[in-house]
Amino acid sequence: MKKACFITFEGPDGSGKTTVSTYVVKALIDLGYDVIHTREPGGVDIAEQIRHVILDPKNTKMDVKTEVLLYAASRRQHLVEKILPALALNKIVICDRFVDSSLAYQGVARGVGFDEVYTVNRFAIDDHLPDLTVYLDLSAQTGLDRIAQRQYLDRLDQEKISFHEKVVEGYQEVLRHFKQRIVVIDANQEIQTVQKEALQAVLKKVKAYV
Ligand code: TMP
């Protein structure tokens, strides 16, 4: 019986993905599940190097299609080097961001086009979409207010509010397109409530697979 399960966390900047996914991973491990926690862009050495190039605030000259290709290249390496081998060992893989981020940020917010970015990404991921995606739903402004206190803001964090608003619009398109695999959680709630709801959604999926 299939045990492996690929779960992603998505949301605009400041939506609390890392805090919530870290909680879920710890809870799953405490329950005895075999889990790895990873992130995009990054997760393995080559992909982390690509992350550095993409997010360096100095790289203001980066063309939007270059950005699409770099995210897709980092995703490919991460998938083949880490995600697929872990799934082959029947592990649960929890990943902060995956292809939906490219569709929302590059496809819609950068204006490259949803279908164009999906085509590039299908080449990168073959047919490996997540089994479940937890979307942390928050307005662009609330997310930006939350990250304003951070010491370091990367090249995308530094984009104008209008860009981040388009990211949220982009995610609405992603939600319409992939309704069946995405669970939406209101990230305006207390963090403990968000964590509890995320864990419930993940456990429901994981139990269906074991
Ligand atoms: P992080 O802050 O969640 O680590 O992600 C880094 C930034 O990269 C964040 O602003 C979202 C952005 N991003 C994209 O624009 N496209 C992608 O495909 C991914 C994975 C992230």
Side-chain angles (χ1 to χ4, degrees):
M1 203 180 294
K2 187 179 172 197
K3 282 192 198 148
C5 196
F6 179 28
I7 297 168
T8 58
F9 279 75
E10 293 282 352
D13 291 286
S15 56
K17 282 177 311 302
T18 311
T19 312
V20 177
S21 62
T22 302
Y23 169 87
V24 169
V25 168
K26 188 178 176 309
L28 290 175
I29 291 171
D30 288 348
L31 288 167
Y33 289 99
D34 196 0
V35 190
I36 67 158
H37 191 194
T38 189
R39 69 160 182 187
E40 290 209 348
V44 292
D45 187 43
I46 292 171
E48 289 288 340
Q49 291 179 52
I50 299 172
R51 176 187 176 97
H52 181 76
V53 173
I54 303 173
L55 297 179
D56 188 340
K58 289 202 298 292
N59 286 337
T60 51
K61 288 188 201 150
M62 190 177 293
D63 175 75
V64 290
K65 288 190 181 177
T66 306
E67 192 177 284
V68 171
L69 293 165
L70 286 174
Y71 276 115
S74 106
R75 179 159 302 129
R76 174 73 191 170
Q77 188 64 32
H78 182 216
L79 182 78
V80 297
E81 200 182 327
K82 190 167 184 180
I83 297 176
L84 294 181
L87 293 173
L89 292 171
N90 270 339
K91 291 176 193 282
I92 295 169
V93 176
I94 306 264
C95 185
D96 297 355
R97 299 194 181 280
F98 195 63
V99 68
D100 299 330
S101 286
S102 282
L103 295 170
Y105 282 77
Q106 284 67 52
V108 177
R110 289 286 195 225
V112 179
F114 190 98
D115 292 341
E116 287 76 359
V117 171
Y118 196 35
T119 300
V120 169
N121 273 274
R122 271 209 299 261
F123 176 70
I125 65 172
D126 303 317
D127 286 328
H128 300 289
L129 283 170
D131 299 301
L132 172 73
T133 296
V134 177
Y135 177 65
L136 301 182
D137 192 16
L138 195 73
S139 74
Q141 186 62 61
T142 312
L144 286 187
D145 291 345
R146 286 189 189 170
I147 65 171
Q149 294 90 352
R150 288 189 192 159
Q151 302 262 311
Y152 172 79
L153 291 180
D154 66 41
R155 193 170 61 84
L156 275 87
D157 293 333
Q158 291 181 15
E159 285 288 343
K160 293 192 287 289
I161 176 77
S162 56
F163 173 79
H164 292 279
E165 280 164 351
K166 282 192 218 144
V167 168
V168 173
E169 276 170 36
Y171 273 123
Q172 299 312 313
E173 205 167 323
V174 170
L175 295 180
R176 282 195 293 277
H177 205 92
F178 298 108
K179 281 193 209 70
Q180 63 300 339
R181 75 163 156 85
I182 306 183
V183 169
V184 180
I185 294 181
D186 178 2
N188 287 293
Q189 306 176 92
E190 289 284 319
I191 187 71
Q192 289 82 356
T193 310
V194 178
Q195 287 171 330
K196 216 174 106 206
E197 289 186 7
L199 180 60
Q200 268 169 3
V202 167
L203 278 176
K204 191 170 166 211
K205 177 56 86 176
V206 164
K207 283 180 180 161
Y209 272 70
V210 178

